[in-house]
Amino acid sequence: MLISNHSNEGFNRAIRKIIKTRTLFPKEDATGKLTHLAIKNFTASWKRATLYTLL
């Protein structure tokens, strides 16, 4: 069985993009809140994963 890592890479890219565009955080909690909202927005667009098998 071959499992693709593209979803993990896309998820990490989305988190990095959010943190990179916002370089100044007033409090340490702001980073956590922003990351939480980014995860919430990113996971809303997920579709059912497809498993690919190696023949």
Side-chain angles (χ1 to χ4, degrees), residues 2-52:
L2 180 66
I3 298 176
S4 177
N5 233 2
H6 294 297
S7 59
N8 293 338
E9 292 170 6
F11 180 72
N12 289 333
R13 183 176 55 243
I15 299 297
R16 282 193 312 266
K17 182 179 177 183
I18 295 295
I19 292 174
K20 189 176 182 180
T21 57
R22 176 93 187 238
T23 57
L24 180 65
F25 295 100
K27 295 181 182 178
E28 196 168 320
D29 291 340
T31 309
K33 289 179 183 179
L34 187 66
T35 305
H36 172 73
L37 290 174
I39 292 170
K40 187 176 178 181
N41 289 338
F42 187 77
T43 56
S45 66
W46 280 356
K47 296 179 182 176
R48 185 176 174 97
T50 305
L51 292 178
Y52 298 99

